[in-house]
Amino acid sequence: MAGERKFRLGVLGSGKGSNYVAIANAITAGRVAAEVALVVSDVADAGILAQARQFGHAAQFLPPGKFRTKLDEEAERAYITALQTAQVDLIVLAGFMRILKGDFLRAFEGRVINIHPSLLPSFPGLEAWKQALDYGVKVAGCTVHFVDQGVDSGPIIGQHTVPVLPDDTAATLHARIQQAEHELYPAAVAALARGEVEVRGRQVWWRK
Ligand code: GRF
Protein backbone atom coordinates (compact mmCIF):
# COMPACT_ATOMS: atom_id res chain seq x y z
CA MET A 1 0.00 0.00 0.00
CA ALA A 2 1.31 3.48 -0.82
CA GLY A 3 2.75 5.26 2.20
CA GLU A 4 3.06 2.05 4.22
CA ARG A 5 6.07 2.12 6.52
CA LYS A 6 8.92 -0.06 5.29
CA PHE A 7 11.10 -2.26 7.47
CA ARG A 8 14.17 -0.15 8.21
CA LEU A 9 17.74 -1.45 8.21
CA GLY A 10 20.74 0.04 9.95
CA VAL A 11 23.96 -1.36 8.51
CA LEU A 12 27.32 -1.29 10.31
CA GLY A 13 30.53 -2.10 8.45
CA SER A 14 34.26 -1.50 8.57
CA GLY A 15 35.37 -2.83 5.20
CA LYS A 16 34.55 -3.03 1.53
CA GLY A 17 30.85 -3.65 2.05
CA SER A 18 30.18 -6.45 -0.43
CA ASN A 19 27.47 -7.93 1.81
CA TYR A 20 25.82 -4.54 2.14
CA VAL A 21 25.89 -4.23 -1.67
CA ALA A 22 24.31 -7.70 -2.01
CA ILE A 23 21.49 -6.64 0.34
CA ALA A 24 21.04 -3.24 -1.35
CA ASN A 25 20.88 -4.93 -4.77
CA ALA A 26 18.35 -7.44 -3.46
CA ILE A 27 16.21 -4.56 -2.19
CA THR A 28 16.41 -2.84 -5.59
CA ALA A 29 15.44 -6.12 -7.27
CA GLY A 30 12.39 -6.43 -5.02
CA ARG A 31 13.66 -9.52 -3.21
CA VAL A 32 13.93 -7.82 0.20
CA ALA A 33 10.98 -5.76 1.45
CA ALA A 34 13.03 -3.23 3.40
CA GLU A 35 14.90 0.02 3.07
CA VAL A 36 18.36 1.00 4.22
CA ALA A 37 17.82 3.79 6.72
CA LEU A 38 21.45 4.35 7.68
CA VAL A 39 24.93 2.96 7.03
CA VAL A 40 27.52 3.60 9.74
CA SER A 41 31.22 2.85 9.71
CA ASP A 42 33.95 3.10 12.32
CA VAL A 43 36.49 3.59 9.49
CA ALA A 44 36.43 7.02 7.83
CA ASP A 45 37.46 5.81 4.37
CA ALA A 46 35.72 2.41 4.41
CA GLY A 47 34.51 1.15 1.04
CA ILE A 48 31.07 0.53 2.53
CA LEU A 49 30.53 4.30 2.98
CA ALA A 50 31.45 4.99 -0.64
CA GLN A 51 29.11 2.19 -1.76
CA ALA A 52 26.30 3.59 0.40
CA ARG A 53 26.64 7.03 -1.16
CA GLN A 54 26.41 5.42 -4.60
CA PHE A 55 23.12 3.83 -3.60
CA GLY A 56 21.94 7.19 -2.22
CA HIS A 57 21.68 5.80 1.31
CA ALA A 58 22.43 7.92 4.37
CA ALA A 59 26.02 7.11 5.34
CA GLN A 60 28.00 8.25 8.32
CA PHE A 61 31.46 7.76 9.81
CA LEU A 62 31.20 7.57 13.60
CA PRO A 63 34.57 7.50 15.42
CA PRO A 64 34.91 4.39 17.60
CA GLY A 65 36.83 6.04 20.42
CA LYS A 66 39.89 4.92 22.27
CA PHE A 67 39.72 1.10 22.03
CA ARG A 68 40.81 -1.17 19.19
CA THR A 69 38.26 -3.98 19.35
CA LYS A 70 35.15 -2.31 20.79
CA LEU A 71 33.43 1.06 20.97
CA ASP A 72 34.20 3.23 23.96
CA GLU A 73 31.31 4.49 26.08
CA GLU A 74 30.88 7.79 24.31
CA ALA A 75 31.07 6.16 20.88
CA GLU A 76 28.57 3.49 21.89
CA ARG A 77 26.13 6.23 22.91
CA ALA A 78 26.64 7.99 19.56
CA TYR A 79 25.99 4.74 17.65
CA ILE A 80 22.84 4.03 19.66
CA THR A 81 21.52 7.56 19.14
CA ALA A 82 22.22 7.55 15.40
CA LEU A 83 20.47 4.22 14.89
CA GLN A 84 17.52 5.11 17.12
CA THR A 85 17.12 8.44 15.35
CA ALA A 86 17.07 6.57 12.04
CA GLN A 87 14.30 4.39 13.53
CA VAL A 88 15.87 1.13 12.45
CA ASP A 89 14.03 -2.16 12.94
CA LEU A 90 17.06 -4.37 12.38
CA ILE A 91 20.79 -3.81 12.68
CA VAL A 92 22.77 -5.68 10.07
CA LEU A 93 26.46 -6.13 10.83
CA ALA A 94 28.26 -6.39 7.51
CA GLY A 95 31.94 -6.77 8.25
CA PHE A 96 31.83 -4.57 11.36
CA MET A 97 35.13 -5.32 13.10
CA ARG A 98 34.21 -4.33 16.66
CA ILE A 99 32.50 -6.33 19.36
CA LEU A 100 29.17 -4.85 20.43
CA LYS A 101 28.02 -5.45 23.94
CA GLY A 102 26.02 -4.34 26.96
CA ASP A 103 24.14 -1.12 26.41
CA PHE A 104 24.16 -1.43 22.63
CA LEU A 105 22.64 -4.91 22.61
CA ARG A 106 20.11 -3.94 25.28
CA ALA A 107 19.05 -0.94 23.18
CA PHE A 108 18.31 -3.22 20.21
CA GLU A 109 17.45 -6.47 21.98
CA GLY A 110 17.05 -9.37 19.53
CA ARG A 111 17.43 -7.03 16.57
CA VAL A 112 21.14 -7.26 15.76
CA ILE A 113 22.39 -9.84 13.25
CA ASN A 114 25.80 -10.71 11.85
CA ILE A 115 27.30 -12.81 9.08
CA HIS A 116 30.35 -14.90 9.85
CA PRO A 117 32.51 -16.67 7.26
CA SER A 118 32.40 -20.18 8.79
CA LEU A 119 29.93 -22.84 9.80
CA LEU A 120 29.58 -21.83 13.44
CA PRO A 121 30.23 -22.97 16.08
CA SER A 122 33.41 -23.99 14.22
CA PHE A 123 35.98 -21.28 13.71
CA PRO A 124 34.67 -18.17 15.48
CA GLY A 125 36.88 -15.08 15.46
CA LEU A 126 39.17 -13.66 12.81
CA GLU A 127 40.00 -15.10 9.36
CA ALA A 128 37.63 -18.01 9.85
CA TRP A 129 38.13 -19.24 6.26
CA LYS A 130 41.87 -19.55 6.95
CA GLN A 131 41.19 -21.39 10.19
CA ALA A 132 38.97 -23.83 8.23
CA LEU A 133 41.59 -24.36 5.51
CA ASP A 134 44.39 -24.87 8.04
CA TYR A 135 42.26 -27.34 10.02
CA GLY A 136 41.59 -29.39 6.89
CA VAL A 137 37.79 -29.42 6.87
CA LYS A 138 36.20 -30.50 3.58
CA VAL A 139 33.05 -28.39 3.92
CA ALA A 140 33.15 -24.70 4.82
CA GLY A 141 30.52 -21.99 4.63
CA CYS A 142 28.92 -19.02 6.31
CA THR A 143 26.47 -18.37 9.13
CA VAL A 144 23.93 -15.61 9.79
CA HIS A 145 23.23 -15.34 13.50
CA PHE A 146 21.74 -13.07 16.12
CA VAL A 147 24.37 -11.17 18.07
CA ASP A 148 24.65 -11.86 21.78
CA GLN A 149 27.23 -10.90 24.39
CA GLY A 150 29.73 -13.52 23.19
CA VAL A 151 31.87 -13.65 20.05
CA ASP A 152 30.01 -15.24 17.11
CA SER A 153 27.92 -17.20 19.61
CA GLY A 154 24.30 -16.06 19.18
CA PRO A 155 21.40 -18.19 17.88
CA ILE A 156 21.92 -19.33 14.29
CA ILE A 157 19.45 -17.99 11.73
CA GLY A 158 20.85 -19.70 8.63
CA GLN A 159 23.89 -21.36 7.11
CA HIS A 160 25.16 -22.07 3.61
CA THR A 161 27.88 -24.58 2.83
CA VAL A 162 30.61 -24.56 0.19
CA PRO A 163 33.17 -27.27 -0.62
CA VAL A 164 36.85 -26.94 0.21
CA LEU A 165 38.77 -27.96 -2.92
CA PRO A 166 42.23 -29.55 -3.07
CA ASP A 167 43.87 -26.55 -4.72
CA ASP A 168 42.25 -23.94 -2.51
CA THR A 169 44.25 -21.09 -1.07
CA ALA A 170 42.92 -18.91 1.71
CA ALA A 171 41.96 -16.38 -0.98
CA THR A 172 40.03 -18.79 -3.24
CA LEU A 173 38.16 -20.32 -0.31
CA HIS A 174 37.34 -16.88 1.06
CA ALA A 175 35.97 -15.81 -2.34
CA ARG A 176 33.74 -18.93 -2.52
CA ILE A 177 32.46 -18.30 1.01
CA GLN A 178 31.75 -14.66 0.19
CA GLN A 179 29.65 -15.72 -2.82
CA ALA A 180 27.60 -17.89 -0.47
CA GLU A 181 27.31 -14.95 1.95
CA HIS A 182 25.87 -12.78 -0.80
CA GLU A 183 23.05 -15.32 -1.27
CA LEU A 184 22.41 -16.10 2.38
CA TYR A 185 22.47 -12.64 3.94
CA PRO A 186 19.81 -11.01 1.70
CA ALA A 187 17.62 -14.11 2.08
CA ALA A 188 17.89 -13.96 5.88
CA VAL A 189 17.17 -10.22 5.97
CA ALA A 190 14.17 -10.78 3.68
CA ALA A 191 12.75 -13.45 6.00
CA LEU A 192 13.24 -11.20 9.05
CA ALA A 193 11.64 -8.25 7.25
CA ARG A 194 8.61 -10.40 6.39
CA GLY A 195 8.33 -11.45 10.02
CA GLU A 196 8.81 -15.08 9.07
CA VAL A 197 11.57 -15.87 11.52
CA GLU A 198 10.55 -17.57 14.74
CA VAL A 199 12.96 -17.60 17.68
CA ARG A 200 12.60 -20.16 20.48
CA GLY A 201 15.70 -19.82 22.63
CA ARG A 202 18.56 -21.03 20.47
CA GLN A 203 16.19 -22.55 17.93
CA VAL A 204 15.49 -20.22 15.02
CA TRP A 205 13.17 -21.32 12.21
CA TRP A 206 11.97 -19.69 9.03
CA ARG A 207 8.26 -20.34 8.79
CA LYS A 208 8.31 -20.41 4.96
C1 GRF B 1 32.44 -11.01 5.49
O1 GRF B 1 33.23 -12.03 4.98
C2 GRF B 1 31.75 -11.43 6.76
O2 GRF B 1 31.62 -12.79 6.87
C3 GRF B 1 32.65 -10.93 7.84
O3 GRF B 1 33.22 -9.75 7.33
C4 GRF B 1 33.27 -9.82 5.91
C5 GRF B 1 32.73 -8.53 5.38
O4 GRF B 1 32.93 -8.40 4.02
N1 GRF B 1 31.88 -10.71 9.05
P1 GRF B 1 32.23 -7.25 3.22
O5 GRF B 1 32.71 -5.92 3.81
O6 GRF B 1 30.75 -7.42 3.35
O7 GRF B 1 32.71 -7.42 1.83
Side-chain angles (χ1 to χ4, degrees):
M1 206 203 301
E4 201 174 301
R5 184 183 181 279
K6 283 195 181 148
F7 190 81
R8 292 170 71 80
L9 307 178
V11 181
L12 302 190
S14 310
K16 65 183 194 289
S18 69
N19 278 284
Y20 154 73
V21 169
I23 291 166
N25 281 335
I27 290 172
T28 306
R31 285 185 279 116
V32 179
E35 64 186 333
V36 176
L38 180 62
V39 177
V40 180
S41 183
D42 58 330
V43 178
D45 60 354
I48 193 170
L49 290 176
Q51 293 282 9
R53 291 186 189 112
Q54 294 233 334
F55 276 96
H57 295 151
Q60 208 177 337
F61 161 62
L62 283 180
K66 56 180 182 272
F67 302 121
R68 207 172 48 83
T69 58
K70 60 178 186 176
L71 302 174
D72 72 15
E73 229 174 273
E74 194 186 326
E76 190 179 60
R77 271 199 301 276
Y79 275 68
I80 292 171
T81 302
L83 291 158
Q84 283 177 339
T85 305
Q87 300 184 352
V88 303
D89 298 298
L90 183 70
I91 295 171
V92 176
L93 304 186
F96 190 63
M97 297 307 285
R98 285 168 195 274
I99 296 166
L100 295 167
K101 4 188 109 224
D103 286 349
F104 187 94
L105 296 180
R106 274 188 290 278
F108 304 103
E109 177 113 45
R111 294 190 290 139
V112 185
I113 63 171
N114 181 43
I115 188 151
H116 182 76
S118 79
L119 296 173
L120 291 170
S122 291
F123 314 123
L126 296 176
E127 298 195 322
W129 63 91
K130 193 167 177 302
Q131 296 183 51
L133 191 68
D134 291 347
Y135 195 92
V137 296
K138 303 298 174 250
V139 179
C142 55
T143 302
V144 173
H145 63 91
F146 286 107
V147 175
D148 67 7
Q149 298 269 357
V151 176
D152 303 324
S153 57
I156 290 173
I157 300 168
Q159 296 185 303
H160 275 188
T161 60
V162 302
V164 181
L165 302 177
D167 294 334
D168 265 337
T169 62
T172 58
L173 180 58
H174 189 205
R176 194 174 305 120
I177 291 171
Q178 280 231 301
Q179 267 185 6
E181 291 184 340
H182 300 159
E183 299 284 320
L184 176 63
Y185 218 1
V189 171
L192 285 156
R194 287 194 302 260
E196 289 173 5
V197 175
E198 196 180 310
V199 184
R200 283 177 260 140
R202 286 207 61 92
Q203 306 292 320
V204 181
W205 296 108
W206 303 19
R207 275 188 262 112
K208 252 191 187 165

